[in-house]
Amino acid sequence: MSESKPRDNPYLAHLPPSQRGVGTGSKEITKDPLFGFLPRKVKGDQVRKAMDGDVNPFTKQPHSGQYKKILETRKKLPVFAQMDEFLKIFSENQIIVMVGETGSGKTTQIPQFVAYSDLPHTKGKMVACTQPRRVAAMSVAKRVADEMDVQLGRHVGYSIRFEDMTEAGTTFLKYMTDGMLLREAMNDPSLERYSTIILDEAHERTLATDILMGLLKGIAKKRKDLKIIIMSATLDALKFQKYFSLRSDATAPLFKVPGRTHPVEVFYTQEPEPDYVEAAIRTVLMIHRAEDPGDILLFLTGEEEIEDACRKIKLEADDLLNQDPSSVGPLSCIPLYSSLPPQQQQRIFDAAPPPITKDGPPGRKVVVSTNIAETSLTIDGIVYVVDPGFSKQKVYNPRIRVESLLVSPISKASAQQRAGRAGRTRPGKCFRLYTEKDFMKELEEQTHPEILRSNLSNTVLELMKLGIKDLVSFDYVDAPAPETLMRALELLNYLAALDDDGNITPLGGIMAEFPLDPQLAKLLIVSPEFKCSNELLTITAMMSVPNVWLRPNNQRREADAAKAALTVPDGDHLTLLNVYNQYVLNKHDKNWCWTNYLSQRALQQADNVRAQLQRTMERFDIDLISLSDEKKLFVNIRQALVCGFFMQVAHKEGEKGNYLTVKDNQASQPSLISVVALHPSCGLDTQPEWVIFNEFVLTTRPYIRTVSEVKAEWLIEFAANYFDLSTFPDGETKRALQRAWNKRAGRGDKKSSKGSRQDGSDERLAKKRRTDGRD
DNA sequence: GAGCACTGC
């Protein structure tokens, strides 16, 4: 070993000699603020000393003027007082569960403490901290970059879909969405580039976080050098501690930090409220009349309910003001839900209206919101919360393969979260519009994790790609219903993403690389065979963004007329293509969107998605092709759609506009759900015998939405396995298919090669498969 | 003759 190597601290080998103190005397040594730090054996006083120094330990640059100021506010966070305790527990354990209530500073501070102890930059590794939402990943990364006195995107960065704000080789602390880390795992199943992984907001139990927990538990057994921190709210801690116990007789250690919030007094109703919207409005007005100044947050379930309630509250409040201007102040009522344009969402941060007269009673602000204000958005200054106890929740019924939204009672955890929104700036009050007994006895402890409420075809494909073959015995925090897994496997097998033995096929491997539902990924991959991949790329992008059609309440007729002008009568999918093309032809013009009642936000999003999908297609050499003959093109597009959506086909029965979804009409007893109608927004000018649909929605009755005409012969040609008649219940649908089979037999069975990948035999794609990079 | 809770890749 050479004399010039630092003997006492091999972890400084990454530094240039001048900073290692090599050969330049001991003065230089003391200039390195991290000198003497042994990874994962770092003590609190070492860290505090390094933080208090004049030189940034990570950049070796002098600190900026604001650094010390920010550091002083950081030191007041509850988590800061427990730094020594944290560093000790971090040194001694591979997996830690941490609970920190609102205001503890865990999201910003813990990853920094980890960076100081882990010294990831000395090993060419990174510390990752996941967030369920993009805005959180971005804004926390920005804050932490400021706190660490580095430029965002250099030593501290973030990674979210469409934006990688990191620098290879430099970034050692990375905030990212949970979905992004899951994507990375698909090409790096041991997540080798990370030394510590922190899953934040684990109690929210997003699908991605749940899968990551399962993966990390497995990786931790193989990679003893990987440390894992699960950060959550109190209620769930024990569950995670048990799940992550490394020995059967012990749970994972818990690190606990108090929050910094104000007390919230909770009130219940004496009797159950029969009409929660009416009761909510009444309660808001009661607060306005009788309670001290302070803003109100009311939770309702959806856009229509919220707009309606806002109108009524405004009317009644204006009445009160007119009747008694000396004792009641003015009131502003602000709706909040996600489909609202960002500019209007900003209104929730406006100040309450000023008093009408100089010494009159002060004004008050009421925000009427969906669940978005429960987790994603925090509004300061809220003192009163009105909680009717409901929210819209996704439910999945594997038997009929339908995801839908249902207004359901919230959980206790959710009710507590809502109440907490009243105590952010000073002591507050929460009015629950249900009885205490119902709270205790009827509400579930936790909201069911997303994995139990979702269609898992996407997730199953991802897990398969991750090399997890036995999905049933995968170590889930909460295992999904076997029937849900079965449905997913069935779909993936029909799409030829899995072979009959349940192994992922080369095609399935490529499908998994697309950030899309398997059906969409499939049709995109086969689209070059139909010479319309350019168009399918657009249609796929349009189908994976929110609805582009706007229909304001007071301008429905104008909106419908604008839509009619853009409609292609052959099918809604072609209409989507047309809308996007017109948007591009009109140079993404905002005014063009506006006059045509289209959501520019959604179209812009489609544009982003399209570009991302195109990059993925290029990675796999999937050509972008178009046909110049429009008539032929339109036929081919609908044929390619069949290759992905053959399981979402409906057949017309009788002349009343009723359709029967294929295969759901078991035997002689069609289930209620299988009789559907074309959604009124459907642009078809006829009622074709066969249609494919993108969406099944259950509202006033079952509807199918985004519909295109197809031909029976395409079904049996491009999805022969699925339309094997021996698997069909008797009925008109089966007889119609039988006629198509007979006709084909009469023609002589000339099997098309198009869409042949349905049987999973195509090896050509396998050769093209590359594993480099990610998108 | 209709309605998108909220995220994420």
Side-chain angles (χ1 to χ4, degrees):
Chain A
M1 191 178 262
S2 151
E3 278 291 295
S4 65
K5 286 247 173 87
R7 278 147 300 176
D8 50 351
N9 192 344
Y11 301 102
L12 294 178
H14 68 289
L15 294 173
S18 63
Q19 288 169 7
R20 258 187 256 152
V22 174
T24 44
S26 60
K27 263 192 170 171
E28 291 294 330
I29 291 175
T30 52
K31 267 194 184 167
D32 186 339
L34 297 181
F35 184 79
F37 278 47
L38 291 175
R40 300 180 168 183
K41 303 228 180 313
V42 176
K43 298 276 190 334
D45 40 3
Q46 288 179 293
V47 175
R48 280 187 292 270
K49 197 173 159 212
M51 282 179 174
D52 285 332
D54 296 323
V55 174
N56 187 320
F58 299 102
T59 63
K60 308 290 186 290
Q61 300 294 311
H63 276 306
S64 69
Q66 58 160 11
Y67 172 78
K68 284 278 158 79
K69 225 168 121 185
I70 300 180
L71 183 60
E72 289 316 306
T73 60
R74 287 171 63 194
K75 287 180 176 175
K76 294 185 190 120
L77 291 166
V79 71
F80 215 90
Q82 285 167 259
M83 188 199 289
D84 299 77
E85 189 194 333
F86 173 79
L87 292 172
K88 184 168 187 293
I89 204 168
F90 181 75
S91 290
E92 292 168 359
N93 296 281
Q94 189 185 8
I95 306 180
I96 307 166
V97 175
M98 134 144 220
V99 301
E101 303 296 316
T102 320
S104 63
K106 67 175 189 318
T107 304
T108 52
Q109 304 310 304
I110 293 293
Q112 293 187 65
F113 296 173
V114 168
Y116 269 97
S117 179
D118 215 2
L119 304 175
H121 59 302
T122 66
K123 313 176 249 192
K125 303 245 173 189
M126 285 186 279
V127 170
C129 178
T130 67
Q131 297 292 321
R133 282 167 292 278
R134 286 153 57 170
V135 272
M138 283 164 63
S139 58
V140 175
K142 175 79 184 90
R143 171 70 195 177
V144 171
D146 288 347
E147 291 188 0
M148 294 187 78
D149 215 12
V150 298
Q151 195 189 329
L152 179 65
R154 301 262 296 144
H155 300 80
V156 177
Y158 65 86
S159 178
I160 59 177
R161 187 182 189 182
F162 306 127
E163 199 181 357
D164 183 5
M165 193 64 161
T166 63
E167 192 178 294
T170 308
T171 302
F172 62 79
L173 176 51
K174 174 159 91 171
Y175 286 88
M176 64 203 302
T177 47
D178 50 7
M180 204 69 207
L181 186 60
L182 192 55
R183 285 263 131 196
E184 286 188 7
M186 288 202 319
N187 288 313
D188 176 15
S190 309
L191 293 167
E192 290 288 346
R193 70 180 89 172
Y194 301 103
S195 55
T196 297
I197 292 173
I198 305 167
L199 301 185
D200 197 4
E201 314 289 1
H203 61 276
E204 288 194 26
R205 304 293 305 276
T206 64
L207 200 42
T209 293
D210 260 32
I211 298 298
L212 282 169
M213 285 196 276
L215 292 177
L216 288 175
K217 188 175 173 180
I219 296 172
K221 287 176 188 151
K222 288 175 283 176
R223 271 191 62 193
K224 291 295 173 192
D225 62 307
L226 176 71
K227 288 196 186 257
I228 295 163
I229 302 174
I230 308 295
M231 304 209 285
S232 106
T234 319
L235 279 158
D236 314 71
L238 188 59
K239 180 166 194 151
F240 296 139
Q241 283 180 272
K242 284 182 181 159
Y243 178 76
F244 281 106
S245 67
L246 292 175
R247 299 202 322 257
S248 56
D249 59 333
T251 59
L254 179 69
F255 174 67
K256 203 171 170 181
V257 179
R260 211 173 47 182
T261 51
H262 303 274
V264 175
E265 201 179 346
V266 177
F267 301 91
Y268 295 91
T269 55
Q270 293 301 311
E271 297 294 328
E273 290 288 351
D275 179 345
Y276 68 84
V277 179
E278 182 273 328
I281 295 169
R282 190 166 16 95
T283 307
V284 165
L285 293 163
M286 181 275 288
I287 295 169
H288 186 45
R289 273 199 313 264
E291 296 281 347
D292 291 341
D295 298 334
I296 306 173
L297 174 58
L298 162 62
F299 285 100
L300 289 177
T301 65
E303 172 176 348
E304 193 178 348
E305 208 174 79
I306 287 168
E307 293 291 355
D308 198 41
C310 278
R311 262 194 307 277
K312 287 179 179 155
I313 291 171
K314 191 81 200 123
L315 273 173
E316 300 237 15
D318 288 348
D319 268 1
L320 284 177
L321 188 65
N322 289 334
Q323 283 164 23
D324 194 0
S326 62
S327 65
V328 182
L331 182 135
S332 66
C333 197
I334 301 161
L336 177 64
Y337 42 88
S338 76
S339 58
L340 221 47
Q343 219 178 344
Q344 284 190 53
Q345 287 190 7
Q346 286 301 311
R347 285 187 58 212
I348 61 171
F349 299 113
D350 292 353
I356 300 288
T357 55
K358 192 161 163 285
D359 293 314
R364 199 191 292 271
K365 174 172 80 179
V366 184
V367 176
V368 186
S369 173
T370 60
N371 257 1
I372 193 170
E374 195 180 302
T375 47
S376 310
L377 274 168
T378 49
I379 314 157
D380 279 326
I382 296 294
V383 179
Y384 305 98
V385 162
V386 180
D387 172 21
F390 292 96
S391 69
K392 273 191 194 169
Q393 287 167 34
K394 185 171 72 181
V395 285
Y396 177 62
N397 183 336
R399 198 175 53 80
I400 54 174
R401 290 191 225 100
V402 170
E403 264 183 1
S404 47
L405 285 171
L406 263 183
V407 174
S408 328
I410 60 171
S411 65
K412 280 190 188 126
S414 200
Q416 271 167 18
Q417 177 75 15
R418 288 180 173 191
R421 292 304 196 199
R424 290 187 62 84
T425 38
R426 61 183 162 104
K429 290 181 181 177
C430 173
F431 297 88
R432 291 184 175 153
L433 305 181
Y434 38 93
T435 64
E436 187 165 16
K437 192 174 144 229
D438 279 351
F439 175 80
M440 299 305 292
K441 296 246 171 78
E442 301 299 323
L443 298 194
E444 305 243 21
E445 291 295 324
Q446 309 288 338
T447 309
H448 276 255
E450 205 184 353
I451 196 170
L452 304 184
R453 298 184 284 120
S454 308
N455 173 347
L456 295 181
S457 41
N458 229 333
T459 307
V460 166
L461 185 60
E462 277 166 13
L463 284 168
M464 286 285 180
K465 174 86 181 191
L466 280 155
I468 289 142
K469 232 203 109 177
D470 188 357
L471 290 156
V472 179
S473 47
F474 181 71
D475 193 356
Y476 302 94
V477 183
D478 282 294
E483 195 174 0
T484 303
L485 293 173
M486 223 183 64
R487 284 299 193 188
L489 292 168
E490 179 192 59
L491 173 85
L492 292 168
N493 179 240
Y494 276 124
L495 288 170
L498 304 178
D499 64 24
D500 291 344
D501 300 322
N503 298 306
I504 190 165
T505 61
L507 170 67
I510 298 172
M511 282 166 62
E513 295 279 343
F514 284 89
L516 290 171
D517 281 342
Q519 295 95 318
L520 290 170
K522 169 73 184 266
L523 68 84
L524 203 47
I525 294 169
V526 302
S527 60
E529 299 178 43
F530 295 87
K531 308 223 175 338
C532 57
S533 46
N534 216 351
E535 289 71 24
L536 260 306
L537 174 58
T538 300
I539 293 170
T540 302
M542 290 288 280
M543 286 205 274
S544 32
V545 300
N547 185 11
V548 296
W549 310 102
L550 299 178
R551 203 161 180 262
N553 256 333
N554 48 356
Q555 293 168 64
R556 287 186 181 177
R557 254 202 291 162
E558 294 88 335
D560 289 349
K563 185 175 177 187
L566 288 163
T567 295
V568 180
D570 306 47
D572 297 332
H573 297 88
L574 291 165
T575 300
L576 289 177
L577 174 66
N578 186 40
V579 169
Y580 178 85
N581 287 341
Q582 294 297 321
Y583 173 64
V584 174
L585 273 177
N586 286 280
K587 305 192 170 22
H588 303 74
D589 181 49
K590 201 176 163 180
N591 289 322
W592 180 83
C593 294
W594 182 253
T595 51
N596 284 285
Y597 293 88
L598 291 163
S599 158
Q600 206 222 347
R601 194 159 49 134
L603 283 166
Q604 183 54 53
Q605 226 175 313
D607 217 33
N608 282 339
V609 173
R610 191 182 189 280
Q612 187 190 27
L613 295 175
Q614 187 175 342
R615 287 193 296 273
T616 310
M617 287 172 80
E618 282 161 6
R619 262 170 60 207
F620 292 100
D621 296 331
I622 299 168
D623 298 326
L624 275 184
I625 324 172
S626 286
L627 277 175
S628 52
D629 176 352
E630 191 179 76
K631 206 172 165 197
K632 195 151 188 299
L633 178 71
F634 281 9
V635 168
N636 283 19
I637 288 172
R638 287 180 291 138
Q639 289 182 339
L641 285 168
V642 167
C643 295
F645 285 95
F646 54 85
M647 292 179 77
Q648 285 162 230
V649 168
H651 182 244
K652 189 164 90 158
E653 309 274 317
E655 290 306 315
K656 286 186 183 149
N658 281 338
Y659 280 78
L660 222 54
T661 53
V662 164
K663 274 198 186 179
D664 289 332
N665 49 332
Q666 286 307 310
S668 57
Q669 231 187 351
S671 79
L672 274 178
I673 218 92
S674 68
V675 181
V676 299
L678 303 182
H679 194 273
S681 66
C682 174
L684 287 171
D685 56 358
T686 59
Q687 289 183 345
E689 182 180 4
W690 295 95
V691 293
I692 49 164
F693 57 93
N694 182 42
E695 244 184 321
F696 174 99
V697 285
L698 186 56
T699 51
T700 49
R701 60 168 295 185
Y703 285 113
I704 50 177
R705 195 158 53 186
T706 313
V707 175
S708 286
E709 178 184 5
V710 293
K711 304 280 183 213
E713 59 253 41
W714 301 348
L715 301 175
I716 61 175
E717 183 172 357
F718 304 126
N721 286 346
Y722 188 77
F723 288 94
D724 172 2
L725 288 187
S726 65
T727 64
F728 269 70
D730 285 331
E732 185 49 42
T733 306
K734 184 173 182 170
R735 286 192 289 276
L737 283 167
Q738 186 64 61
R739 286 195 290 276
W741 279 108
N742 293 344
K743 200 166 142 197
R744 175 165 154 173
R747 271 205 326 261
D749 191 5
K750 53 176 173 59
K751 192 170 187 292
S752 163
S753 64
K754 279 196 256 177
S756 59
R757 280 173 206 152
Q758 200 220 324
D759 59 21
S761 61
D762 197 321
E763 292 301 317
R764 190 168 57 90
L765 279 162
K767 295 197 187 101
K768 288 185 175 177
R769 186 176 161 208
R770 294 188 207 153
T771 49
D772 57 324
R774 70 187 165 81
D775 206 334

